[in-house]
């Protein structure tokens, strides 16, 4: 059957490492990626010594609710923890504490922008759970690191709403942005802070019933998710075309070889014997708590993005970049308030400031900028008043970035102020060039390098007070 007659139906289970100070059920530091030595962030509770009891970290609940609000979910005022029993060597207490029946949030619709279009995807729920320990295989022995034990995780389960890999990848990118915006998680896929199990099934386009799904594990990059979906689609099409039946199974994606292999079939599926966690009370939240968190989050990234597109007429790319980080969008809005010029504010931030920050040795942050936002606004206003050329305005921003100070003072110090000074500058250039007739002839014939000699002579004639950039434009005009 032609491949176009099949469609993919995909749903996701997304695991996110929650960025709390301490672990989910004890006071140990939650520093999975920062712990330099094994077993330094541990205590009798997270090592599950006999008689120890978990106590819930309210910060994780707060971040879980925040994630729900970011994704436009319905927050459950009462949620509970359940025990999921299974044995694995990285789980010496033989159970995980999770939320099976009454998770922290229930379903709602998440709005995501794909290619400039708002798309809606429904999610099933978000729940909280603890991470397992970490096993380190070394030669013939296996070592155990408890730093990760009881570190909080959040799992987002979607409905079967995705039809292709682009939707999945864009949805995950948007989620990553939301979590960073709300400081719920750093969601770095390389560090496994955001990873995804992808459930893929196929059906004929005219069918309404879902096909049998395969769950793909081990996916921690957007591109590997795309590859795994393509590969799984073709695998299932081949099976159906051959007249065979698709088995429900868990498959392991090998992104080096671009193949998946069976990990577990439905027959091996474990019975987890879920039951309410006896050592923890239900989580009870009131309206005031939820509303305060809503206020703390402020305008959601997707609403900001739509506003930047519609009200400020920014491009899709710029709107995406400026809403990718809370601090960045706040800085941009401060600039708009000062300059009343969204387009220029956007361009100075995205093309000049972000480039300078990117070039910083240790990675630059807006909060470490040494000059005040109003100085950048002044640069824009000088350009708008034609007192500064846009080429030279870049020099002023670079100067502010390097040595702070005031935009106005830098403009004067570097003799960059336009209008009144143009005549004086031209005079200097005319005088210098009038004595260099031979060199100009040589330059015109073949010695292009002489151009910088002319610039140097003009600089010298102006007692090195002017910026060379300003002379280059005039000299180019004159010869
Ligand atoms: Zn602990």
């Amino acid at each position: 059957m032609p491949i176009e007659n099949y469609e993919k139906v995909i749903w996701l289970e997304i695991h996110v490492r929650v960025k709390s100070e301490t672990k989910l059920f004890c006071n140990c530091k939650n520093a999975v990626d920062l712990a330099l030595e094994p077993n330094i962030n541990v205590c009798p509770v997270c090592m599950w010594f006999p008689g120890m009891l978990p106590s819930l970290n309210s910060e994780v609940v707060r971040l879980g609710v925040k994630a729900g609000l970011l994704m436009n979910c319905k927050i459950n005022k009462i949620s509970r923890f359940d025990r999921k029993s299974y044995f694995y060597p990285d789980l010496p207490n033989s159970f995980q504490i999770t939320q099976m029946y009454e998770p922290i949030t229930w379903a709602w619709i998440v709005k995501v922008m794909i290619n400039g279009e708002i798309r809606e995807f429904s999610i099933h729920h978000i729940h909280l759970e603890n991470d397992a320990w970490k096993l380190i295989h070394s030669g013939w022995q296996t070592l155990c690191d408890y730093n990760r034990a009881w570190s909080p995780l959040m799992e987002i389960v979607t409905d079967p709403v995705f039809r292709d890999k682009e939707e999945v990848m864009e949805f995950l990118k948007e989620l990553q942005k939301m979590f960073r915006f709300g400081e719920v998680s750093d969601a770095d896929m390389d560090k496994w802070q955001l990873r995804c199990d992808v459930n893929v099934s196929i059906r004929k386009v005219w069918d309404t019933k879902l096909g049998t799904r395969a769950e793909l594990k081990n996916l921690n990059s957007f591109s590997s998710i795309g590859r795994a979906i393509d590969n799984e689609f073709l695998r299932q099409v081949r099976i159906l075309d051959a007249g065979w039946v698709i088995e429900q199974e868990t498959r392991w994606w090998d992104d080096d070889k671009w193949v998946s292999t069976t990990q577990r079939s439905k027959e091996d599926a474990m019975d987890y014997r879920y039951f309410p966690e006896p050592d923890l009370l239900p989580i009870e939240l009131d309206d005031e708590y939820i509303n305060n968190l809503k206020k703390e989050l402020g305008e959601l990234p997707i609403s900001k993005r739509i506003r930047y597109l519609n009200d400020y007429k920014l491009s899709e790319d710029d709107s995406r970049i400026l809403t990718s980080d809370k601090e960045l969008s706040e800085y941009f809005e401060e600039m708009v308030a000062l300059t009343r010029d969204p387009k220029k504010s956007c361009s100075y931030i995205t093309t000049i400031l972000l480039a300078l920050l990117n070039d910083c040795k240790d990675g630059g942050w807006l909060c470490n900028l040494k000059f005040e936002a109003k100085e950048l606004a002044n640069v824009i206003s000088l350009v708008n008043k034609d007192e500064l050329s846009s080429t030279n305005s870049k020099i002023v921003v670079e100067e502010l970035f390097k040595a702070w100070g005031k935009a106005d003072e830098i403009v004067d110090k570097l003799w960059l102020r336009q209008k009144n000074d143009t005549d004086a500058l031209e005079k200097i250039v005319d005088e210098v060039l009038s004595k260099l007739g031979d060199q100009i002839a040589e330059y015109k014939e073949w010695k292009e390098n002489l151009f910088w000699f002319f610039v140097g002579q003009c600089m010298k004639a102006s007692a090195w007070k002017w910026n060379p950039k300003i002379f280059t434009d005039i000299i180019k005009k004159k010869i």
Side-chain angles (χ1 to χ4, degrees):
M1 194 163 71
I3 202 160
E4 300 78 44
N5 287 355
Y6 289 108
E7 75 168 354
K8 311 175 190 93
V9 180
I10 305 164
W11 57 276
L12 310 171
E13 292 163 283
I14 304 148
H15 305 262
V16 180
R17 187 170 294 292
V18 179
K19 191 185 176 181
S20 58
E21 283 290 316
T22 53
K23 292 186 182 180
L24 182 52
F25 298 125
C26 67
N27 271 329
C28 290
K29 240 198 209 155
N30 177 34
V32 176
D33 305 310
L34 300 174
L36 297 173
E37 280 173 57
N39 299 312
I40 50 170
N41 297 323
V42 295
C43 73
V45 180
C46 59
M47 294 177 88
W48 203 252
F49 282 11
M52 293 296 128
L53 292 173
S55 55
L56 180 62
N57 177 357
S58 60
E59 192 197 357
V60 179
V61 175
R62 196 174 66 86
L63 294 172
V65 173
K66 251 181 153 181
L69 292 172
L70 281 162
M71 296 175 72
N72 199 22
C73 286
K74 182 173 173 286
I75 307 300
N76 279 337
K77 289 200 184 146
I78 296 185
S79 58
R80 293 169 211 277
F81 283 98
D82 301 290
R83 219 174 249 205
K84 177 183 183 180
S85 306
Y86 66 98
F87 175 76
Y88 197 77
D90 68 0
L91 200 65
N93 62 343
S94 292
F95 64 84
Q96 182 189 31
I97 299 180
T98 180
Q99 295 184 303
M100 175 69 181
Y101 302 108
E102 287 174 90
I104 190 119
T105 79
W106 275 128
W108 220 248
I109 302 290
V110 187
K111 282 187 186 163
V112 174
M113 188 171 278
I114 301 180
N115 298 328
E117 215 182 281
I118 294 288
R119 302 282 301 275
E120 295 185 334
F121 298 102
S122 64
I123 70 158
H124 187 268
H125 74 267
I126 303 178
H127 70 251
L128 300 171
E129 62 188 23
N130 69 286
D131 205 347
W133 317 177
K134 186 174 163 192
L135 297 179
I136 301 156
H137 305 287
S138 157
W140 54 272
Q141 54 187 351
T142 295
L143 304 166
C144 194
D145 179 4
Y146 280 64
N147 282 337
R148 200 174 72 181
W150 296 49
S151 170
L153 296 176
M154 193 167 60
E155 186 171 331
I156 297 132
V157 182
T158 76
D159 286 324
V161 284
F162 303 97
R163 293 293 175 269
D164 63 44
K165 64 176 180 185
E166 281 77 23
E167 288 181 346
V168 170
M169 286 151 77
E170 289 304 315
F171 175 82
L172 286 169
K173 282 180 196 165
E174 197 69 28
L175 239 56
Q176 184 183 52
K177 217 168 74 175
M178 283 182 198
F179 295 146
R180 289 176 178 173
F181 188 93
E183 293 169 332
V184 170
S185 170
D186 289 334
D188 187 336
M189 290 187 102
D190 286 340
K191 294 181 180 163
W192 294 88
Q193 290 162 347
L194 173 71
R195 65 190 165 82
C196 194
D197 297 338
V198 182
N199 291 273
V200 182
S201 65
I202 65 167
R203 65 181 174 193
K204 296 182 192 89
V205 282
W206 52 84
D207 277 349
T208 47
K209 215 172 134 244
L210 292 177
T212 308
R213 71 188 163 92
E215 184 181 5
L216 296 158
K217 294 253 184 203
N218 188 32
L219 298 164
N220 76 320
S221 79
F222 298 123
S223 54
S224 70
I225 287 169
R227 285 190 285 274
I229 290 173
D230 280 344
N231 180 282
E232 183 57 24
F233 175 63
L234 291 176
R235 190 187 70 88
Q236 294 191 15
V237 167
R238 267 184 236 119
I239 293 174
L240 290 188
D241 276 353
W244 297 335
V245 180
I246 293 165
E247 303 279 342
Q248 186 177 327
E249 60 183 339
T250 304
R251 299 182 70 85
W252 191 259
W253 174 251
D254 184 333
D255 202 44
D256 293 328
K257 296 183 189 145
W258 291 23
V259 288
S260 66
T261 45
T262 301
Q263 193 187 20
R264 207 165 53 215
S265 72
K266 198 186 175 188
E267 282 69 45
D268 310 322
M270 277 189 257
D271 176 1
Y272 294 114
R273 311 212 164 206
Y274 286 98
F275 64 89
E277 170 55 48
D279 292 335
L280 287 165
L281 288 166
I283 303 171
E284 288 186 45
L285 308 172
D286 57 25
D287 286 328
E288 197 191 343
Y289 178 89
I290 297 170
N291 288 335
N292 282 343
L293 279 179
K294 253 187 213 164
K295 265 190 229 149
E296 199 183 299
L297 279 173
E299 191 184 14
L300 298 184
I302 187 77
S303 319
K304 270 185 197 286
R305 198 161 155 189
I306 296 169
R307 191 159 59 81
Y308 291 0
L309 277 171
N310 295 341
D311 297 357
Y312 294 162
K313 312 284 180 227
L314 300 186
S315 71
E316 271 170 39
D317 264 351
D318 287 335
S319 315
R320 183 179 48 78
I321 294 168
L322 290 172
T323 53
S324 62
D325 179 276
K326 195 174 186 172
E327 203 192 347
L328 184 60
S329 70
E330 283 170 356
Y331 190 83
F332 166 66
E333 299 211 359
E334 193 182 344
M335 290 294 298
V336 175
L338 289 166
T339 60
R340 307 202 173 277
D341 187 339
K343 286 213 166 152
K344 276 221 177 81
S345 300
C346 164
S347 107
Y348 276 81
I349 292 174
T350 54
T351 59
I352 305 179
L353 204 54
L354 287 186
L356 289 169
L357 286 167
N358 277 342
D359 287 343
C360 281
K361 240 194 303 169
D362 311 317
W365 301 99
L366 274 174
C367 58
N368 295 338
L369 283 182
K370 292 173 188 161
F371 62 93
E372 289 177 55
K374 72 169 196 273
E375 295 308 324
L376 183 58
N378 274 344
V379 173
I380 295 175
S381 115
L382 286 170
V383 173
N384 282 344
K385 283 191 284 180
D386 268 342
E387 285 186 37
L388 182 65
S389 73
S390 55
T391 321
N392 288 332
S393 69
K394 190 171 174 231
I395 300 170
V396 181
V397 179
E398 283 167 355
E399 208 53 35
L400 279 170
F401 191 81
K402 262 193 296 188
W404 57 45
K406 307 255 177 247
D408 262 311
E409 287 169 13
I410 293 170
V411 171
D412 287 333
K413 195 178 84 188
L414 300 178
W415 298 60
L416 296 175
R417 204 175 290 273
Q418 286 186 161
K419 272 187 181 169
N420 307 336
D421 295 319
T422 324
D423 291 346
L425 280 167
E426 293 211 357
K427 215 172 140 196
I428 294 174
V429 175
D430 283 341
E431 262 171 38
V432 169
L433 294 183
S434 68
K435 293 176 205 153
L436 300 172
D438 291 348
Q439 282 91 336
I440 293 172
E442 276 180 51
Y443 164 77
K444 282 185 178 163
E445 263 172 51
W446 55 280
K447 258 188 154 172
E448 283 177 17
N449 282 347
L450 276 174
F451 186 81
W452 299 109
F453 169 70
F454 304 149
V455 175
Q457 291 301 305
C458 290
M459 295 279 290
K460 198 172 155 194
S462 66
W464 308 97
K465 274 190 284 185
W466 299 78
N467 193 296
K469 180 77 191 70
I470 208 154
F471 281 120
T472 56
D473 296 338
I474 302 176
I475 299 172
K476 260 183 211 161
K477 208 168 65 187
K478 300 259 175 198
I479 57 177

